[in-house]
């Protein structure tokens, strides 16, 4: 059984339809990557999965349970954790505050101390700035806070929306390495990225999302040449 | 010496009342992003509820806390009926100005119908008068000056040192991200309104103890609280607190030197100047966020 399955989801904002009959699955082992041009529904799809946006039709199952109608808060309670795009988060809270917030749900609270250690081990830089406000941190550090907050929520499935967006190459490499570490720690990931190289390294399954639909699916085991992806991306 | 003492005392006293009112207004603005124009009505209703409970024969030490709780309940209810259903609409700020004004007007006229127009008065927090240097003051006023900072300090500790306080500050900064860490945003909105209403009720009990109460007694404090938050900035709760005392001192000084008639005009002149020079308020940076 897949850990997450999206079945025929159609969603949008107001009169605008962004997603059109999207179906996909994420397995229990190995990570899933979403890629595709900007403005074609990747972020909207993640918002639907995490309950921030209710789909017009279609269903979403997490670990066999139908979560389509549940609130974002209830979905966090199941262990499906979404790190939104951008690193705005809580600009006037300290890193310590953010970590406490991450462990707010009843499910995560008993694991607070243990998860905090994991976060500090993964991002030692955060410990140095523990009492600093998020707005005073660099872009890379803020992204670490976002991911760290999500890890504090004790995820069973972690969704990352463009974790390396707008970061300098060196910091981006560091962050990619951390994401790989999280994956090795046993938490399955769904990652939206523009960096295909990174996605290929990270995930066993890829979905190209284009014009609000799943344009192409690359299954586990299928090898794919870089040039093929490029042609999917940019057309022929 | 007498002049200074009088201005200091008057400023502390007025500042306490304004701070009590303005903090509630700022709390609702920072968490929900709306202005509650029924805030003055909460103050009035709180005072009337307290009066009724005292009239039933309850000791003020029991009646006042009950009135505060009841007003908090009304605040929560108002939020659930005229604010929450509108969240997500375009022009939310403007729409909520109208709905809270309408609800406030309903409550105001309800109070008029139930309790009548005759002026009422609450028992003071402490009975009696005393002299500070050369000026005579009531113990009630001294109690207000002492109690207000304690309540504001307690609110500050609640916001900065407790889990729920942390959650309120988080919602104030980023609603989507708050949902994604599993916060109950709707409940926190209700809580912000309830706390604001409770603070307004306390202000009403303060005021009812030294002035006559009437169904429109909340209008002027609401206006003053609005001036305070515009002056101090609404992006945190510390800004309005400082501004409340500053305006209290300003009013006291104006009343002393220019007389009561000129005070509002001078106050608005300062307000307009502030808006021209620093539209985000003098104590804060742009953006929203508690504490």
């Amino acid at each position: 059984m897949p850990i997450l399955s999206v079945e025929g989801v159609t969603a949008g904002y107001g009169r605008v339809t962004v997603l059109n009959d999207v179906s996909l699955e994420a397995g229990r082992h190995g990570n899933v990557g979403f890629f595709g041009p900007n403005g074609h529904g990747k972020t909207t799809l993640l918002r639907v999965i995490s309950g921030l946006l209710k789909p017009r039709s279609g269903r979403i199952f997490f670990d066999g349970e139908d979560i389509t109608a549940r609130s974002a808060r209830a979905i966090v309670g199941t262990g499906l954790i979404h790190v939104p795009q951008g690193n705005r988060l809580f600009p006037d809270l300290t890193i310590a505050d953010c970590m406490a917030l991450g462990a707010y749900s009843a499910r995560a609270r008993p694991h607070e101390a243990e998860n905090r250690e994991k976060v500090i081990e993964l991002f030692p830089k955060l410990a140095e700035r523990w009492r600093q406000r998020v707005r005073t941190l660099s872009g890379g550090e803020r992204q670490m806070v976002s991911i760290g907050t999500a890890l504090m929520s004790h995820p069973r499935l972690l969704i990352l929306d463009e974790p390396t967006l707008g970061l300098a190459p060196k910091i981006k490499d560091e962050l990619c390495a951390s994401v790989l570490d999280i994956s090795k720690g046993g938490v399955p990931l769904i990652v939206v990225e523009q960096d295909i190289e990174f996605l290929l390294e990270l995930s066993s399954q890829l979905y190209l999302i284009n014009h609000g639909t799943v344009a192409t699916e690359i299954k586990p085991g299928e090898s794919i040449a870089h040039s093929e992806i490029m042609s999917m991306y940019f057309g022929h | 010496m007498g002049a200074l003492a009088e201005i200091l005392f008057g400023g502390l006293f007025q500042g306490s009342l304004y701070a009590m009112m303005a903090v509630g207004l700022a709390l609702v603005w920072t968490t929900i992003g709306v202005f509650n124009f029924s805030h003055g009505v909460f103050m009035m209703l709180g005072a009337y509820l307290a009066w009724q409970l005292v009239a039933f024969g309850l000791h003020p030490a029991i009646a006042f806390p009950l009135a505060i709780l009841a007003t908090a309940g009304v605040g929560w209810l108002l939020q659930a009926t005229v604010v929450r259903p509108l969240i997500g609409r375009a022009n939310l700020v403007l729409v909520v100005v109208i709905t809270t004004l309408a609800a406030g007007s309903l409550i105001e006229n309800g109070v008029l119908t139930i309790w009548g127009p005759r002026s009422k008065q609450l028992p003071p927090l402490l009975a009696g008068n005393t002299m500070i240097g050369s000026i005579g003051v009531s113990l009630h006023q001294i109690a207000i000056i002492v109690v207000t900072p304690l309540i504001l300090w307690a609110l500050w500790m609640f916001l900065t040192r407790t889990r729920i306080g942390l959650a309120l500050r988080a919602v104030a900064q980023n609603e989507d991200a708050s949902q994604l860490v599993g916060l109950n945003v709707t409940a926190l909105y209700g809580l912000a309104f309830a706390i604001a209403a409770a603070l307004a009720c306390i202000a009403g009990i303060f005021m009812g103890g030294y002035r006559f109460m009437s169904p429109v007694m909340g209008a002027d404090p609401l206006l003053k609280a609005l001036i305070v938050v515009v002056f101090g900035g609404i992006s945190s709760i510390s800004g309005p607190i400082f501004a409340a005392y500053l305006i209290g001192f300003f009013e006291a000084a104006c009343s002393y030197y220019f007389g009561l008639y000129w005070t509002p005009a001078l106050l608005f002149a300062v307000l307009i100047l502030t808006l021209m020079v620093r539209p985000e308020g003098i104590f804060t940076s742009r953006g929203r966020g508690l504490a």
Side-chain angles (χ1 to χ4, degrees):
Chain A
M1 187 175 60
I3 191 160
L4 182 81
S5 61
V6 173
E7 297 178 0
V9 160
T10 297
Y13 306 92
R15 288 195 201 93
V16 183
T17 301
V18 180
L19 296 175
N20 210 337
D21 195 23
V22 171
S23 296
L24 47 85
E25 281 183 354
R28 261 161 218 286
H29 305 287
N31 306 314
V32 174
F34 293 170
F35 67 108
N38 283 328
H40 283 237
K42 299 186 300 293
T43 295
T44 304
L45 176 59
L46 300 190
R47 287 174 63 85
V48 170
I49 293 173
S50 60
L52 286 177
L53 180 70
K54 294 293 157 213
R56 291 195 196 127
S57 60
R59 299 213 289 173
I60 298 147
F61 293 88
F62 179 59
D63 202 12
E65 282 180 75
D66 188 344
I67 58 165
T68 319
R70 294 204 195 160
S71 67
R73 175 165 163 259
I75 291 171
V76 169
T78 65
L80 197 170
I81 309 298
H82 172 192
V83 180
Q85 192 181 54
N87 43 32
R88 288 177 48 239
L89 209 67
F90 305 108
D92 283 316
L93 295 188
T94 64
I95 296 178
D97 286 339
C98 290
M99 296 307 134
L101 269 181
Y104 204 89
S105 71
R107 205 182 137 268
R109 215 169 295 181
H111 307 282
E112 188 168 354
E114 145 207 356
N115 283 330
R116 195 187 299 124
E117 269 174 43
K118 275 190 205 163
V119 171
I120 290 173
E121 198 182 325
L122 190 66
F123 303 120
K125 264 189 193 165
L126 296 188
E128 295 165 25
R129 311 202 184 285
W130 200 246
R131 298 276 161 203
Q132 246 173 269
R133 284 177 187 236
V134 172
R135 69 159 74 244
T136 65
L137 304 176
S138 71
E141 289 164 343
R142 270 183 257 173
Q143 196 60 55
M144 291 175 196
V145 175
S146 296
I147 296 174
T149 304
L151 290 175
M152 292 300 292
S153 303
H154 207 60
R156 287 166 63 209
L157 173 67
L158 189 60
I159 302 178
L160 304 175
D161 195 353
E162 301 210 26
T164 67
L165 186 73
L167 298 183
K170 182 168 167 283
I171 296 160
K172 183 176 163 183
D173 289 345
E174 278 177 39
L175 207 72
C176 288
S178 303
V179 171
L180 284 168
D181 279 348
I182 295 170
S183 167
K184 279 180 203 134
V187 180
L189 305 174
I190 293 180
V191 180
V192 169
E193 256 297 339
Q194 301 290 358
D195 181 346
I196 310 287
E197 307 284 342
F198 173 50
L199 269 193
L200 282 172
E201 185 184 359
L202 183 73
S203 19
S204 50
Q205 198 175 358
L206 289 180
Y207 288 97
L208 168 65
I209 296 178
N210 204 353
H211 295 297
T213 55
V214 174
T216 307
E217 180 184 350
I218 301 154
K219 288 225 173 65
E222 284 176 21
S223 65
I224 180 149
H226 183 251
S227 58
E228 282 180 60
I229 288 183
M230 280 301 144
S231 71
M232 282 177 203
Y233 224 97
F234 299 113
H236 298 279
Chain B
M1 188 57 217
L4 189 67
E6 206 153 312
I7 291 167
L8 267 178
F9 185 80
L12 276 175
F13 172 64
Q14 287 297 334
S16 303
L17 280 175
Y18 296 162
M20 214 56 158
M21 285 296 283
V23 159
L25 213 55
L27 188 70
V28 166
W29 166 260
T30 45
T31 44
I32 313 181
V34 297
F35 262 120
N36 172 22
F37 270 74
S38 52
H39 198 59
V41 171
F42 285 160
M43 175 190 186
M44 180 273 298
L45 182 69
Y48 272 85
L49 288 172
W51 181 86
Q52 184 62 67
L53 290 169
V54 171
F56 283 151
L58 289 177
H59 189 274
I62 299 161
F64 290 175
L66 279 179
I68 292 167
L69 277 178
T71 314
V74 173
W76 183 87
L77 205 68
L78 197 94
Q79 183 274 149
T81 48
V82 305
V83 180
R84 194 194 299 165
L86 302 166
I87 284 170
R89 290 254 188 116
N91 302 322
L92 176 70
V93 176
L94 214 58
V95 172
V96 169
V97 167
I98 306 291
T99 57
T100 53
L101 263 180
S105 169
L106 272 174
I107 296 172
E108 206 169 277
N109 286 293
V111 166
L112 188 65
T113 312
I114 296 169
W115 284 291
R118 184 174 295 178
S119 295
K120 296 174 170 47
Q121 201 161 18
L122 278 173
L125 297 177
L126 289 171
N129 296 296
T130 186
M131 295 291 285
I132 296 180
S134 58
I135 55 169
V137 295
S138 70
L139 291 178
H140 178 70
Q141 285 175 306
I142 292 176
I144 289 172
I145 289 173
V146 175
V147 168
T148 301
L150 290 178
I151 292 172
L152 296 177
W153 175 80
L155 178 69
W156 182 262
M157 293 310 265
F158 168 73
L159 286 173
T160 54
R161 298 288 158 88
T162 67
R163 281 185 91 85
I164 298 178
L166 173 62
L168 271 174
R169 286 187 290 141
V171 169
Q173 289 174 38
N174 191 336
E175 200 186 305
D176 267 3
S178 297
Q179 292 197 45
L180 291 176
V181 292
L183 300 186
N184 187 343
V185 174
T186 337
L188 290 167
Y189 282 178
L191 181 67
F193 247 84
I195 294 174
L199 292 168
C201 175
I202 296 172
I205 290 171
F206 285 174
M207 203 158 162
Y210 80 99
R211 246 187 228 170
F212 286 112
M213 294 156 48
S214 80
V216 294
M217 69 187 271
D220 184 58
L222 172 67
L223 186 66
K224 291 290 165 56
L226 282 169
I227 295 175
V228 165
V229 294
V230 170
F231 193 59
I234 26 186
S235 66
S236 77
I237 65 160
S238 52
I241 292 174
F242 290 125
Y245 283 101
L246 207 66
I247 286 184
F249 288 124
F250 180 81
E251 274 199 348
C254 283
S255 307
Y256 189 85
Y257 291 111
F258 306 107
L260 211 55
Y261 278 114
W262 285 102
T263 306
L266 286 167
L267 194 57
F268 275 105
V270 171
L271 177 74
I272 291 164
L273 268 177
T274 309
L275 283 174
M276 282 161 65
V277 181
R278 261 189 86 95
E280 68 274 24
I282 48 175
F283 290 116
T284 49
S285 52
R286 283 161 215 269
R288 261 161 64 185
L290 291 170

